[in-house]
Each structure stands twice: as C-alpha cells, then as structure tokens.
Amino acid sequence: MAVAKGSAPQSGEPSKRGDRRRQLVLTLSRVWAWAFLGLLIAFFVITVPLSSNGSVNFLTVRNSQNILMAIVSVLLLGLGQTFVIITAGIDLSVGHMMSLASVVSALVLREVFNAGVPLFPAVAIGLLAALATAALVGFLQGSIIARLKVPAFIVTLGGGFVLRGVALLMSDNSTVIGLPPGVRDYGNESLMYFIPGDSGGLYFFNRPEVSGELVRSMDRILPYPVIIAAIVVILMAFLLRRTAFGRHTYAIGGNQEAALRAGIPVDRHLIQLYMLSASTAAVAGFLSTLRFTAGSAVIGDPLLMSSIAAVIIGGVSLAGGAGSIIGTVIGALIVAVLTTGLVMLNVQAFWQFIVIGIVIIVAVLIDQSRDLIVSRMRSGA
Amino acid sequence: MEQTAMTSEGNVLSREPMLSVRQLVKRFGGLTAVNKVDMDVYPGEVVGLVGDNAAGKSTLIKCIAGVHQPEEGEIYFEGRRVHFSHPIEARDAHIETIYQDLALAGNLNVGANIFMGREIKKPFLGGLVKVLDEEFMLQESRKLLEQLKIHIPDFTQEIETLSGGQRQAVAIARAVYWKAKLMIMDEPTNNLGVVEQRQVLDLVRELKSQGVPVILISHTLPDVFAVTDRIVVMHRGRKVTDKKTSETDSQEIVQYMVGALDDNRVDA
Ligand SMILES: Nc1ncnc2c1ncn2[C@@H]1O[C@H](COP(=O)(O)OP(=O)(O)OP(=O)(O)O)[C@@H](O)[C@H]1O
Ligand SMILES: [Mg+2]
C-alpha cells in the first residue's frame, strides 16, 4: 500500500492475497443475514410439518402474506431509524410517535368524513394530518438534538413520554372509534386474491364475490399495507443510496467534524433525519388505523424494541457510519419469520424473546469481528 | 486543473503576498496563545512553521482557517481584509487546512470523500429528482490522483481501509481539486511511516510546482529543511524569527525554538 510517486514498494504478492482475504471477509459478512434468513426458512419448512404430523406447512401463500403483514409496522418504524442510527443517533420515540399518528389520523379522518368529505379524500387527509404531526415532532426533537446538543437518547426518551401522554389525552385515554366502516377495506384488502381448487382462481383488484367455504380458503396476496410499506422501502433505499441527502447521512456518521468542515449543513441535516424518522413511524400509525378501523394510543410502544432489533440485525452500526435499507428489511424479515415460525412450532412466548435476544447479540458480534478482522488486515498489510 | 499560470520561479519573485497576518493576538482566558504575530506567505512559497509544544502554531493557523477568531490584529488574503467566523468561510475563500485525521469520512470511498459536501448530481427520471453522478466523480478522482502521482489501487475502497499516508494524500488531493489558493498543513506526517512521510513531502513539492502556497507545521526539522523556502519560528506565542531556509541551518533554528535566540526581543 502506498501513496507512492512511482512504484509502490509494499504492494507485492502478500498484500494482494491480503486484499482477497479481506474481500472474502467483507462479502461473507454482507451475505450472512441473507444466509441466516434462508436457513431459518428452511428450518421451519422442515420442522413445522414434522411437529404437526404434516397438517401444517410453513411456506404457504397465506402464511407468507401473514409474515409480510406482520412486518409492516416494525419495518416502517425501522426505516427512518436506519437513517438516524447511521449518523450515530437514536430515536426512541418512534413507537409512541406511531401511536400518536394512529390517534391523529383516526380523529381527523372521522371528523372530516362526518363533515361530508367522501371516504377516499378523508383517508388521504388523515394521512396528511399524521405526517404533519410527525414533521412537527421530528422538527422539535431534531432541533433540540442538533442545535442545543442534548443527546438524542435523552431527547427521544423524554419526547416519547410526551407523545404517549398527548396520544392518550387526544384519544380520551383509549381508542378512537366511530370511523366509517369503508376504512377497513383500505387496511385489509389486497392487490390479488387466490382461491385454490377448480372453482377458484386468481383475481386482481376486486375481491371475488364468494361465500362459505370459499371465503375461508381465499388468500389475500399483497395486502395494501404491504404495498405501501414496499413503496416506502423503495423510496428510502433510493434516498439513502442514490442522493446527496443519503451521502451526507453516511458522511455525518463517518466523521461529523469532517462533514461540517466539508460544508455539509450538519445541524439542518440531523433535524431532517428526525423528521424522516417520525414520518415513517407516522405511516405505520396511519396504516394501523386503517387496519383496525380505529386509532390506538398504545399500538406502537411494544414495537419499538423489535424495530431497533431489526435495524441492528440488518447491520446498522450503533457507532454510526454503516448500514443499509435492504439490511433493515432483512432484519425485519428475520424477526418476523422467527416469531411466526416459533409460534407455529407451539414454542412458548418466552422462548421467542430469548431466541431473538440471542440473535441480536450474535448479529452485532459478527459485525464487530468483521471490523476487527478488516482493521487487523490493514495494519498487517 | 489550472491552479495558476505562474511558474514557481515567478512566484517567488512576486512581491504581493497571498496571505498577510498583522499583529495577531489570540487569548484563551489568561493565556496569550498567539501574541502580536506578523506573517506573510507569497504565491508558490512553502513556509515552515515550527516551535516547541504549545508555542501557538496550531492556534495561529486556526485563526487563519476560521476555527478561532483572533482578539486583535488583521488577516489579509489576496490583498483583502478577511474575517472568517467559521471554517466553511475560509474554505469558500479557498484556504484549505489539512489536519491529521479530521478531514475525511472513513466509511466513504475515495471519490465520495473528494466530493464530500460538494457532490456532483445528475438528473434522474427526466429531471424529476437529482441523483449522485458516481461515474463522473470516480473518473474525476482518478484523473486527479494520477495528476498528483498518488497511487491507490482500488478507488471503491472505503477510506478507513487505506493506509494513513494514502488517506493524507486523498485529503490533500481534495484540497487541490477544489482549487486551494493556500494550503495549511498541521503536522500532516504525524503517525505516518517513514515511506509515507516522504510521500506527503513529495505532495508538498507537487503543490508548490503547481503554484499553491503551503504553510507546513512540523516538528521534524529535516523535513522542514527539505521542502520549505522560508521558516517561521514561534516561541511562547511570539514569532521569534522568520528566515529564508537557504540562509539558516537546523542548529540555529533549534536555538530559536528553545528561546536562546530571539530576533524580536523587546527588552523590558
Ligand atoms: N481551545 C483552546 N482552549 C484553551 N487553550 C488552548 C486552546 N487551544 C490551545 N490552547 C493553548 O494555547 C497554547 C498554544 O497551543 P497550540 O495548540 O497552538 O500549540 P502548538 O504550537 O500547536 O503545539 P503542538 O506542537 O504541541 O501542537 C497552549 O498552551 C494550549 O494549551
Ligand atoms: Mg499543534
């Protein structure tokens, strides 16, 4: 390795071999999450039928859609969080932000609809209200973090409590009900429907008019919340990978001082990130309102830990500077597959927690040993 | 890249200083870290800034680079009086500062670092949004490093996997790309191996040959004598001498550094 004018004395055979080894370690550490996800699925595909004497299968259309539905909220909470953690920050308020967004969108949707606005625009206005709330919350929290230099952990911890209180206050200590029944379709219907057997088939966009046994055997493929989450995933991946905004996010995580000296408006960028984080949580809250035809002031809180777990299993470093959207998606899938599979194996809930906890720690260990090996190779080169 | 059309010979003859510091004072509480310092840097000139630990070298250049704001005195750059209240303002005036490790993001590759904060974008989806033009930035970086004779095998490598010397070279290359009119280097060879130190010094010469003046802070006198045209010595915040490199030797400079000699002594 050399800055050399002319030839580089040290770059002979050994360092080339070192390069190849380093490359191998990097590649392995990148694919481990995929490999682990594949192994998990294979494991459940084999064990689930065995444990039920063949009456239940893991990889069915219905179960795959259930898993996708199950990850929507955790994933959305993790998407904005991915940006924040890449800058070595943290947003502990996303769970309560999701609850508040659920309450706000339900209230606004209901009032606007009752005022005579048709259903679809009313739903859209509900979403906008949730996003506006998130923008405000993110702006306030981000400003305190970036401008007043209060640690993100503290601000979002306190902020989360405040949001929780506001959500309970606005929902009158419980749930917001009385939403127009049509809302249910937005949160539960899907792009395609599949009915197995001779009298069935594949249907697009419109739910087939069937009854009895056929309804029960009907599978919903790609429910709307899954599609919306997928769109947000694509947008976030684009933002992080392809735009200057994403590049600045990595730069701040890599070396905040250097980013500042390079002219990146660090404070403003951090504020925008906390607004983004609150916003993806708000989408999760909005979707849960559609799904349950009600706003809930407590829906998000239990999901916070799982969402951070997904982000970390996906390879985002709490030290900042590293991570990707696809990693977070895989992390969320791992958490969901693990939970669903263990439930289908009739494993009791406490074992699920224990297993997920171990997976988090092992995932971080793998990332750290990668960093260690790479830096050792560098100093050895 | 056109830094300036002047040759290095012509630069030394040019009598308009690029940078002039007059009677600069910077205090930290009761401590006067920089005490009435005058200093000039001419185009194409490499000035060595030496002195014992805590002599005030870093504080002086931080005042020039906009990190600190001096209490007294004036700074002129290209003949105009300047007040930098932030490092970004100094950078906008094309004063680039190289510190040992502060300038780069280790998790980004060479190209991303050179263009950090000034990314080149291209339209996407018919101009609906702008995306990073990775291809262009990579090509420009490659051309630049070739021109500066910096050898880095893999451009897509993250900076933190490069050696210290390579990283320093990338930091310098970036300053060159953004048309530095004055390059300030605060102990740029610290923590580098012997070979890498030599490579950084080669880069200093390369900059000089391109007409970019350099202020080089270093504790390694042989290096200072190898690349500078002039040496400024500081002692306890004051400038104690300012000599042509060709008219002094390291023994004399050491005498100034320890305070045994002092051109500006005011007998009190
Ligand atoms: N930000 C600061 N706050 C308070 N005192 C400072 C600060 N920066 C420097 N000083 C003090 O000013 C004096 C000059 O420090 P400076 O860093 O300029 O020395 P230096 O010549 O660069 O030394 P070295 O060769 O060790 O880098 C020292 O006594 C130092 O402790
Ligand atoms: Mg110093």
Side-chain angles (χ1 to χ4, degrees), chain A residues 68-96:
Chain A
L68 288 180
M69 248 341 226
I71 77 168
V72 165
S73 298
V74 168
L75 182 59
L76 283 169
L77 291 185
L79 286 175
Q81 185 83 276
T82 302
F83 283 78
V84 168
I85 297 185
I86 286 176
T87 64
I90 185 93
D91 189 346
L92 296 177
S93 71
V94 288
H96 293 305

mmCIF file of all heavy atoms in Angstrom, chain A residues 68-96:
data_model
loop_
_atom_site.group_PDB
_atom_site.id
_atom_site.type_symbol
_atom_site.label_atom_id
_atom_site.label_comp_id
_atom_site.label_asym_id
_atom_site.label_seq_id
_atom_site.Cartn_x
_atom_site.Cartn_y
_atom_site.Cartn_z
ATOM 1 N N LEU A 68 -45.632 -11.044 5.964
ATOM 2 C CA LEU A 68 -45.458 -9.710 5.390
ATOM 3 C C LEU A 68 -46.292 -8.680 6.145
ATOM 4 O O LEU A 68 -45.839 -7.579 6.459
ATOM 5 C CB LEU A 68 -45.835 -9.707 3.905
ATOM 6 C CG LEU A 68 -44.848 -10.415 2.980
ATOM 7 C CD1 LEU A 68 -45.321 -10.339 1.539
ATOM 8 C CD2 LEU A 68 -43.458 -9.827 3.122
ATOM 9 N N MET A 69 -47.547 -9.044 6.444
ATOM 10 C CA MET A 69 -48.416 -8.134 7.189
ATOM 11 C C MET A 69 -47.800 -7.829 8.552
ATOM 12 O O MET A 69 -47.862 -6.699 9.039
ATOM 13 C CB MET A 69 -49.762 -8.817 7.421
ATOM 14 C CG MET A 69 -51.005 -8.274 6.721
ATOM 15 S SD MET A 69 -51.058 -6.628 6.072
ATOM 16 C CE MET A 69 -52.655 -6.138 6.681
ATOM 17 N N ALA A 70 -47.196 -8.888 9.138
ATOM 18 C CA ALA A 70 -46.654 -8.715 10.488
ATOM 19 C C ALA A 70 -45.458 -7.780 10.501
ATOM 20 O O ALA A 70 -45.201 -7.116 11.508
ATOM 21 C CB ALA A 70 -46.257 -10.077 11.070
ATOM 22 N N ILE A 71 -44.708 -7.705 9.382
ATOM 23 C CA ILE A 71 -43.510 -6.868 9.461
ATOM 24 C C ILE A 71 -43.758 -5.414 9.095
ATOM 25 O O ILE A 71 -42.900 -4.571 9.323
ATOM 26 C CB ILE A 71 -42.329 -7.403 8.610
ATOM 27 C CG1 ILE A 71 -42.528 -7.105 7.133
ATOM 28 C CG2 ILE A 71 -42.067 -8.848 8.859
ATOM 29 C CD1 ILE A 71 -41.263 -7.352 6.357
ATOM 30 N N VAL A 72 -44.935 -5.111 8.541
ATOM 31 C CA VAL A 72 -45.172 -3.746 8.053
ATOM 32 C C VAL A 72 -44.816 -2.681 9.101
ATOM 33 O O VAL A 72 -44.022 -1.782 8.836
ATOM 34 C CB VAL A 72 -46.631 -3.575 7.575
ATOM 35 C CG1 VAL A 72 -46.986 -2.110 7.425
ATOM 36 C CG2 VAL A 72 -46.819 -4.296 6.250
ATOM 37 N N SER A 73 -45.371 -2.801 10.294
ATOM 38 C CA SER A 73 -45.158 -1.766 11.307
ATOM 39 C C SER A 73 -43.709 -1.722 11.767
ATOM 40 O O SER A 73 -43.083 -0.655 11.825
ATOM 41 C CB SER A 73 -46.062 -2.000 12.513
ATOM 42 O OG SER A 73 -47.401 -1.919 12.110
ATOM 43 N N VAL A 74 -43.174 -2.894 12.101
ATOM 44 C CA VAL A 74 -41.791 -2.956 12.583
ATOM 45 C C VAL A 74 -40.846 -2.375 11.536
ATOM 46 O O VAL A 74 -39.934 -1.602 11.840
ATOM 47 C CB VAL A 74 -41.413 -4.420 12.898
ATOM 48 C CG1 VAL A 74 -39.915 -4.547 13.123
ATOM 49 C CG2 VAL A 74 -42.177 -4.906 14.118
ATOM 50 N N LEU A 75 -41.102 -2.728 10.280
ATOM 51 C CA LEU A 75 -40.253 -2.249 9.197
ATOM 52 C C LEU A 75 -40.337 -0.732 9.056
ATOM 53 O O LEU A 75 -39.321 -0.045 8.984
ATOM 54 C CB LEU A 75 -40.665 -2.932 7.896
ATOM 55 C CG LEU A 75 -39.854 -2.580 6.662
ATOM 56 C CD1 LEU A 75 -38.401 -2.932 6.869
ATOM 57 C CD2 LEU A 75 -40.406 -3.317 5.454
ATOM 58 N N LEU A 76 -41.567 -0.211 9.043
ATOM 59 C CA LEU A 76 -41.717 1.237 8.877
ATOM 60 C C LEU A 76 -41.058 2.002 10.023
ATOM 61 O O LEU A 76 -40.428 3.032 9.814
ATOM 62 C CB LEU A 76 -43.198 1.600 8.778
ATOM 63 C CG LEU A 76 -43.838 1.300 7.415
ATOM 64 C CD1 LEU A 76 -45.347 1.430 7.477
ATOM 65 C CD2 LEU A 76 -43.265 2.204 6.330
ATOM 66 N N LEU A 77 -41.188 1.468 11.241
ATOM 67 C CA LEU A 77 -40.518 2.118 12.373
ATOM 68 C C LEU A 77 -39.006 2.074 12.180
ATOM 69 O O LEU A 77 -38.280 2.972 12.594
ATOM 70 C CB LEU A 77 -40.883 1.423 13.691
ATOM 71 C CG LEU A 77 -42.321 1.561 14.184
ATOM 72 C CD1 LEU A 77 -42.466 0.930 15.555
ATOM 73 C CD2 LEU A 77 -42.733 3.015 14.240
ATOM 74 N N GLY A 78 -38.526 1.003 11.540
ATOM 75 C CA GLY A 78 -37.079 0.836 11.378
ATOM 76 C C GLY A 78 -36.484 1.638 10.231
ATOM 77 O O GLY A 78 -35.285 1.903 10.223
ATOM 78 N N LEU A 79 -37.304 2.037 9.261
ATOM 79 C CA LEU A 79 -36.754 2.683 8.060
ATOM 80 C C LEU A 79 -36.146 4.052 8.368
ATOM 81 O O LEU A 79 -34.989 4.323 8.042
ATOM 82 C CB LEU A 79 -37.834 2.818 6.990
ATOM 83 C CG LEU A 79 -38.212 1.510 6.285
ATOM 84 C CD1 LEU A 79 -39.366 1.736 5.327
ATOM 85 C CD2 LEU A 79 -37.021 0.909 5.558
ATOM 86 N N GLY A 80 -36.935 4.913 9.013
ATOM 87 C CA GLY A 80 -36.397 6.220 9.378
ATOM 88 C C GLY A 80 -35.283 6.056 10.403
ATOM 89 O O GLY A 80 -34.263 6.748 10.360
ATOM 90 N N GLN A 81 -35.493 5.109 11.308
ATOM 91 C CA GLN A 81 -34.498 4.822 12.343
ATOM 92 C C GLN A 81 -33.142 4.465 11.723
ATOM 93 O O GLN A 81 -32.092 4.816 12.257
ATOM 94 C CB GLN A 81 -34.998 3.638 13.185
ATOM 95 C CG GLN A 81 -34.153 3.294 14.365
ATOM 96 C CD GLN A 81 -34.472 4.163 15.565
ATOM 97 O OE1 GLN A 81 -33.964 5.264 15.697
ATOM 98 N NE2 GLN A 81 -35.329 3.692 16.423
ATOM 99 N N THR A 82 -33.171 3.773 10.569
ATOM 100 C CA THR A 82 -31.930 3.400 9.895
ATOM 101 C C THR A 82 -31.097 4.646 9.581
ATOM 102 O O THR A 82 -29.900 4.694 9.868
ATOM 103 C CB THR A 82 -32.245 2.645 8.593
ATOM 104 O OG1 THR A 82 -33.020 1.487 8.923
ATOM 105 C CG2 THR A 82 -30.983 2.207 7.883
ATOM 106 N N PHE A 83 -31.731 5.661 9.034
ATOM 107 C CA PHE A 83 -31.020 6.914 8.735
ATOM 108 C C PHE A 83 -30.438 7.514 10.010
ATOM 109 O O PHE A 83 -29.287 7.943 10.053
ATOM 110 C CB PHE A 83 -31.978 7.952 8.113
ATOM 111 C CG PHE A 83 -32.299 7.707 6.670
ATOM 112 C CD1 PHE A 83 -33.224 6.737 6.303
ATOM 113 C CD2 PHE A 83 -31.683 8.440 5.677
ATOM 114 C CE1 PHE A 83 -33.526 6.518 4.973
ATOM 115 C CE2 PHE A 83 -31.980 8.230 4.335
ATOM 116 C CZ PHE A 83 -32.907 7.266 3.989
ATOM 117 N N VAL A 84 -31.285 7.551 11.049
ATOM 118 C CA VAL A 84 -30.861 8.189 12.291
ATOM 119 C C VAL A 84 -29.667 7.455 12.894
ATOM 120 O O VAL A 84 -28.673 8.064 13.299
ATOM 121 C CB VAL A 84 -32.036 8.232 13.295
ATOM 122 C CG1 VAL A 84 -31.547 8.624 14.676
ATOM 123 C CG2 VAL A 84 -33.105 9.209 12.816
ATOM 124 N N ILE A 85 -29.741 6.116 12.909
ATOM 125 C CA ILE A 85 -28.658 5.357 13.545
ATOM 126 C C ILE A 85 -27.385 5.423 12.702
ATOM 127 O O ILE A 85 -26.281 5.377 13.241
ATOM 128 C CB ILE A 85 -29.097 3.900 13.834
ATOM 129 C CG1 ILE A 85 -30.265 3.902 14.828
ATOM 130 C CG2 ILE A 85 -27.940 3.099 14.431
ATOM 131 C CD1 ILE A 85 -30.707 2.542 15.288
ATOM 132 N N ILE A 86 -27.515 5.573 11.391
ATOM 133 C CA ILE A 86 -26.310 5.717 10.559
ATOM 134 C C ILE A 86 -25.526 6.962 10.974
ATOM 135 O O ILE A 86 -24.312 6.997 10.891
ATOM 136 C CB ILE A 86 -26.674 5.748 9.057
ATOM 137 C CG1 ILE A 86 -27.048 4.335 8.594
ATOM 138 C CG2 ILE A 86 -25.493 6.263 8.210
ATOM 139 C CD1 ILE A 86 -27.513 4.255 7.167
ATOM 140 N N THR A 87 -26.220 7.989 11.467
ATOM 141 C CA THR A 87 -25.494 9.180 11.938
ATOM 142 C C THR A 87 -25.096 9.044 13.403
ATOM 143 O O THR A 87 -24.720 10.036 14.031
ATOM 144 C CB THR A 87 -26.340 10.460 11.800
ATOM 145 O OG1 THR A 87 -27.487 10.343 12.665
ATOM 146 C CG2 THR A 87 -26.793 10.679 10.388
ATOM 147 N N ALA A 88 -25.175 7.818 13.936
ATOM 148 C CA ALA A 88 -24.833 7.542 15.329
ATOM 149 C C ALA A 88 -25.837 8.159 16.301
ATOM 150 O O ALA A 88 -25.529 8.361 17.469
ATOM 151 C CB ALA A 88 -23.415 7.992 15.682
ATOM 152 N N GLY A 89 -27.041 8.450 15.818
ATOM 153 C CA GLY A 89 -28.106 8.914 16.700
ATOM 154 C C GLY A 89 -29.016 7.748 17.074
ATOM 155 O O GLY A 89 -28.702 6.591 16.802
ATOM 156 N N ILE A 90 -30.133 8.073 17.724
ATOM 157 C CA ILE A 90 -31.135 7.053 18.031
ATOM 158 C C ILE A 90 -32.468 7.777 18.191
ATOM 159 O O ILE A 90 -32.489 8.925 18.632
ATOM 160 C CB ILE A 90 -30.770 6.259 19.309
ATOM 161 C CG1 ILE A 90 -31.739 5.108 19.583
ATOM 162 C CG2 ILE A 90 -30.767 7.165 20.538
ATOM 163 C CD1 ILE A 90 -31.334 3.799 19.021
ATOM 164 N N ASP A 91 -33.555 7.132 17.803
ATOM 165 C CA ASP A 91 -34.869 7.722 18.004
ATOM 166 C C ASP A 91 -35.737 6.745 18.790
ATOM 167 O O ASP A 91 -36.279 5.800 18.239
ATOM 168 C CB ASP A 91 -35.524 8.067 16.664
ATOM 169 C CG ASP A 91 -36.802 8.880 16.853
ATOM 170 O OD1 ASP A 91 -37.303 8.929 18.002
ATOM 171 O OD2 ASP A 91 -37.290 9.454 15.871
ATOM 172 N N LEU A 92 -35.803 6.975 20.098
ATOM 173 C CA LEU A 92 -36.573 6.076 20.959
ATOM 174 C C LEU A 92 -38.054 6.443 20.983
ATOM 175 O O LEU A 92 -38.844 5.784 21.637
ATOM 176 C CB LEU A 92 -36.021 6.131 22.392
ATOM 177 C CG LEU A 92 -34.593 5.641 22.567
ATOM 178 C CD1 LEU A 92 -34.147 5.822 24.009
ATOM 179 C CD2 LEU A 92 -34.469 4.177 22.161
ATOM 180 N N SER A 93 -38.422 7.484 20.262
ATOM 181 C CA SER A 93 -39.806 7.947 20.338
ATOM 182 C C SER A 93 -40.681 7.369 19.224
ATOM 183 O O SER A 93 -41.871 7.657 19.167
ATOM 184 C CB SER A 93 -39.856 9.473 20.284
ATOM 185 O OG SER A 93 -39.518 9.931 18.993
ATOM 186 N N VAL A 94 -40.100 6.548 18.318
ATOM 187 C CA VAL A 94 -40.879 6.128 17.150
ATOM 188 C C VAL A 94 -42.117 5.311 17.523
ATOM 189 O O VAL A 94 -43.150 5.399 16.857
ATOM 190 C CB VAL A 94 -40.028 5.354 16.113
ATOM 191 C CG1 VAL A 94 -39.079 6.282 15.388
ATOM 192 C CG2 VAL A 94 -39.292 4.189 16.735
ATOM 193 N N GLY A 95 -42.025 4.496 18.592
ATOM 194 C CA GLY A 95 -43.182 3.696 18.997
ATOM 195 C C GLY A 95 -44.356 4.592 19.375
ATOM 196 O O GLY A 95 -45.476 4.437 18.872
ATOM 197 N N HIS A 96 -44.089 5.550 20.251
ATOM 198 C CA HIS A 96 -45.155 6.455 20.684
ATOM 199 C C HIS A 96 -45.576 7.396 19.560
ATOM 200 O O HIS A 96 -46.724 7.827 19.497
ATOM 201 C CB HIS A 96 -44.708 7.243 21.914
ATOM 202 C CG HIS A 96 -44.522 6.377 23.121
ATOM 203 N ND1 HIS A 96 -45.521 5.558 23.593
ATOM 204 C CD2 HIS A 96 -43.458 6.178 23.930
ATOM 205 C CE1 HIS A 96 -45.075 4.905 24.665
ATOM 206 N NE2 HIS A 96 -43.819 5.253 24.872
#
